[in-house]
């Protein structure tokens, strides 16, 4: 018996040596991906064998042979220890969040473009000490502090970072945590801004389609483009006094909801706007879907008149023709037109999408994950819309952090159409992060889904991010201890 046992142990040692050599060869192979190499190193048992039978228990043998293994995380023991931010110059100011833990791993999130980082900082005292892998629990703790549009930026940014952390803790991609993926690549639509001339517009279009390979475009069809052409807008001189859609005082055109501006478009104005779309259609043809947005602030009847003038161009959608809250008006517009309609980039939580979806007030829902509630809530929105026969496109105008969060959510969502990319013309945008699993972030108008990299599959390129911080705040993940203390009782009922 003793000889047989010794022979068995010797054979096992030989097999172990062969196995160790095989693992080492894979580690040394330059074609082995970094995350696979890291996995092999961390999980090497380094000597567990039947030699345990010679005097050590299996527990003792395991303890001895794994004592030098450095585990990346013990998920059940993770605790949030800090929340910091870096305010980048993307889209005029977009803050990247970093949530740190007691085990050295961290998660990246993002406060929506144009939103104040304080929307996230005020949440810090509510999440310190929590296990970041309890994503839904933490979301329920903080979601009451999110509002519509950019007021949801803090809650959504934290939620993104939690999924990144959870994926890293369990060494799986975020899409896997959402239930798995439907696709290996995410179709993108390239936002194309207004141009000063048809020639400049053609240059922007060709760069996207011919050089970058995008197969879906979105353009603005704004009354701002015709405001200086006589006879296009009723009360033109009054409109020109406050013609910006984006900035102005509380009583300005920019802050007056569409039905209340009094702006009307003449038949000549409709013809001029149709010429703009006709020109772009002539450049790109009908093989490429063409979406439209940012028409200006005018009422329901003018929306229908404009939509009917553009119906013949087979647009992919008309976006945000009136404020999202006016779902009955969206329903009226949708019923009157052949062109699909969409809204949703400023809606927070599924509960506020339900009127639009239940009443089929739009043909497509269009959430911005950095406002809608983060990855899981956006998937819930998409799944609810799918049950009602409505598809989902995704609005995105931030840094690569929220972009990749959208990629994972889109991969896990069946009724997904396309994801917006708003920084096609920013040369350093993609360089803000590195793909931890290797490969490209964007390839010929598609975003490859990270199949092996944990979490969101990215890490920050510190040098590039530091070079493009917002002028108003040059700090880079500086301490935020002044936000550690909770000073209110948050329960919303008595």
């Amino acid at each position: 018996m003793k000889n047989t046992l010794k022979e068995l142990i010797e054979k096992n040692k030989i097999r172990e040596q062969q196995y160790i050599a095989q693992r080492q060869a894979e580690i040394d192979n330059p074609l082995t991906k970094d995350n696979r190499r890291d996995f092999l190193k961390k999980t090497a048992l380094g000597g567990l064998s039947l030699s345990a039978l010679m005097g050590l228990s299996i527990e003792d043998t395991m303890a001895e042979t794994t004592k030098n293994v450095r585990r990346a995380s013990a998920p059940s023991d993770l605790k949030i220890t800090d929340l910091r931010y870096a305010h980048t110059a993307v889209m005029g100011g977009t803050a990247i969040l970093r949530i740190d833990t007691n085990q050295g791993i961290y998660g990246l999130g993002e406060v929506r473009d144009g939103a104040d980082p304080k929307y996230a900082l005020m949440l810090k005292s509510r999440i310190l000490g929590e296990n970041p892998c309890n994503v839904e629990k933490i979301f329920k703790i903080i979601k009451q502090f999110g509002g519509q549009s950019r007021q949801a930026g803090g809650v959504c940014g934290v939620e993104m970072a939690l999924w990144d952390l959870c994926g890293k803790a369990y060494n799986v991609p975020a899409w896997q945590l959402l239930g798995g993926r439907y696709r290996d690549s995410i179709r993108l639509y390239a936002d194309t801004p207004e141009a000063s001339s048809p020639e400049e517009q053609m240059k922007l279009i060709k760069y996207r389609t011919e050089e970058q390979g995008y197969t879906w475009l979105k353009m603005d069809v704004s009354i701002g483009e015709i405001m200086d052409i006589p006879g296009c807008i009723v009360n033109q001189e009054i409109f020109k006094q406050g013609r910006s859609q984006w900035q102005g005082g509380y009583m300005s055109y920019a802050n007056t909801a569409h039905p209340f501006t009094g702006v009307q478009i003449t038949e000549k104005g409709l013809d001029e706007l149709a010429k703009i779309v006709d020109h772009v259609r002539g450049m790109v043809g009908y093989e490429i879907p063409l979406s439209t947005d940012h028409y200006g602030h005018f009422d329901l009847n003018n929306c229908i008149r404009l939509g009917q003038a553009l119906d013949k161009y087979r647009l992919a959608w008309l976006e945000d023709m009136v404020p999202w809250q006016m779902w009955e008006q969206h329903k009226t517009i949708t019923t009157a037109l052949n062109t699909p309609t969409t809204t949703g980039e400023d809606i927070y939580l599924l509960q506020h999408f339900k009127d639009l979806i239940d009443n089929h007030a739009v043909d497509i829902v269009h959430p911005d994950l950095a406002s809608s509630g983060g990855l899981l809530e956006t998937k819930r929105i998409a799944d609810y819309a799918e049950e009602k026969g409505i598809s989902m496109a995704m609005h995105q105008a931030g840094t690569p952090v929220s972009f990749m969060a959208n990629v994972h959510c889109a991969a896990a969502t069946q009724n997904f159409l396309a994801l917006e990319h708003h920084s096609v013309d920013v040369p350093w945008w993609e360089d803000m992060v590195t793909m931890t699993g290797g490969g490209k972030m964007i390839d010929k108008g598609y975003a490859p889904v990270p199949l092996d990299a944990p979490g969101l599959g990215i890490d920050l390129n510190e040098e590039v991010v530091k070079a493009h911080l917002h002028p108003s705040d040059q700090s880079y993940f500086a301490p935020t201890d002044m936000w550690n203390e909770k000073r209110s009782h948050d329960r919303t009922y008595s």
Side-chain angles (χ1 to χ4, degrees), residues 221-223 245 292-296 298 306 317-319 321:
V221 186
S222 170
I223 56 174
Q245 292 184 52
T292 58
D293 190 13
H294 297 318
Y295 315 99
F298 43 81
L306 175 59
W317 67 62
L318 299 164
E319 179 179 335
M321 295 207 84

Side-chain angles (χ1 to χ4, degrees), residues 10-25:
E10 289 301 320
K11 288 181 180 180
N12 189 65
K13 285 183 178 179
I14 293 172
R15 286 198 300 269
E16 277 185 352
Q17 291 169 358
Q18 292 172 341
Y19 176 64
I20 292 169
Q22 180 183 356
R23 290 174 68 94
Q24 190 61 48

Side-chain angles (χ1 to χ4, degrees), residues 1 3 102 118 121 262 463:
M1 175 68 181
N3 290 336
N102 57 337
K118 294 184 182 69
L121 292 172
E463 182 179 339

